[in-house]
Amino acid sequence: MEDRVRVVIAEDSVLLREGLTRLLTDRGHDVVAGVGDAEALIKTITELADQGGLPDVVVADVRMPPTHTDEGVRAAVQLRRAYPGLGVLVLSQYVEERYATELLAGSSRGVGYLLKDRVAEVREFVDAVVRVAEGGTALDPEVVAQLLGRSRKQDVLAALTPREREVLGLMAEGRTNSAIARQLVVSDGAVEKHVSNIFLKLGLSPSDGDHRRVLAVLTYLNS
């Protein structure tokens, strides 16, 4: 059982909204509201905040009524600005780089971007919701692959080895060093060495503290 989190779901498909609610409540989490459009999402979060009950995380579709273009992600960005402590996990049918980079333009704490296909992998989806609610990052591997593929053309990343790029890609997905080690079938010490080299090559000094991990990912995504 993960730590219990409070969730608001914004999804115009009633079937998917109910499905997400069931997935989360079955794992012991509280879905405090479910809405079908961006305007209702903003109104609901505002009312909950005014009542002193701001949720831990919002799970929102990128495309919502009335135009089904970018209402969901624009609402997410607006809410992040109004409530910096609110986690936001957006869901998309396809990788849309502009929306992903817009969401990541500010602090990457408590931010996630997943493809809807990932919802079928229940454990991964619920873990992502909890991670974002707790201030972590959850980026779909396909999102990372596209954003980092574009980033590879930039000189700032030229010094990274292929393995270091791979490690940084997994960091961008929100994985810990131990999880990266399991994924790559290497020791924790090897991953720590790669991470240290990444910090060094990207010019992130020890004075940046724990934020170096976030800064490294943002450098990679926004370069």
Side-chain angles (χ1 to χ4, degrees):
M1 178 69 68
E2 299 91 349
D3 292 337
R4 193 183 192 96
V5 298
R6 300 176 70 251
V7 187
V8 169
I9 297 174
E11 166 59 57
D12 61 294
S13 166
V14 175
L15 186 61
L16 180 54
R17 186 166 71 239
E18 292 300 319
L20 294 175
T21 299
R22 180 65 181 271
L23 286 179
L24 292 167
T25 55
D26 281 354
R27 298 299 290 268
H29 302 297
D30 294 327
V31 176
V32 296
V35 299
D37 60 69
E39 183 178 351
L41 171 61
I42 292 172
K43 180 180 178 181
T44 296
I45 296 301
T46 302
E47 290 175 349
L48 289 171
D50 289 345
Q51 297 166 8
L54 189 70
D56 300 303
V57 60
V58 167
V59 178
D61 192 356
V62 166
R63 298 174 180 267
M64 300 186 73
T67 68
H68 293 279
T69 54
D70 62 353
E71 283 88 350
V73 74
R74 284 194 287 109
V77 171
Q78 181 178 333
L79 289 171
R80 288 277 294 174
R81 290 174 181 154
Y83 308 104
L86 176 66
V88 172
L89 174 62
V90 299
L91 304 178
S92 179
Q93 193 69 42
Y94 310 101
V95 177
E96 301 179 82
E97 293 183 16
R98 178 168 64 89
Y99 299 150
T101 53
E102 184 177 3
L103 189 65
L104 291 162
S107 170
S108 67
R109 284 185 54 81
V111 172
Y113 188 114
L114 295 182
L115 296 182
K116 286 188 174 180
D117 288 347
R118 200 67 56 189
V119 175
E121 300 173 22
V122 176
R123 177 73 193 198
E124 288 190 24
F125 169 70
V126 177
D127 285 350
V129 172
V130 174
R131 188 158 68 245
V132 170
E134 294 178 344
T137 304
L139 297 180
D140 194 285
E142 290 297 323
V143 175
V144 173
Q146 287 203 24
L147 294 178
L148 301 192
R150 180 186 60 192
S151 298
R152 288 191 180 98
K153 301 175 183 177
Q154 306 300 323
D155 290 340
V156 69
L157 305 176
L160 298 182
T161 66
R163 177 62 95 180
E164 288 164 355
R165 291 177 187 274
E166 192 173 11
V167 169
L168 190 47
L170 292 169
M171 287 168 60
E173 291 176 26
R175 298 176 188 264
T176 63
N177 283 4
S178 295
I180 293 172
R182 290 193 299 271
Q183 176 74 18
L184 300 180
V185 194
V186 298
S187 68
D188 287 1
V191 173
E192 290 173 5
K193 183 177 180 180
H194 288 311
V195 171
S196 294
N197 287 339
I198 290 167
F199 291 157
L200 179 64
K201 292 178 180 180
L202 295 183
L204 300 173
S205 68
S207 62
D208 293 314
D210 292 339
H211 297 297
R212 286 195 297 173
R213 198 175 187 90
V214 173
L215 292 172
V217 170
L218 288 177
T219 299
Y220 212 5
L221 296 180
N222 295 326
S223 63

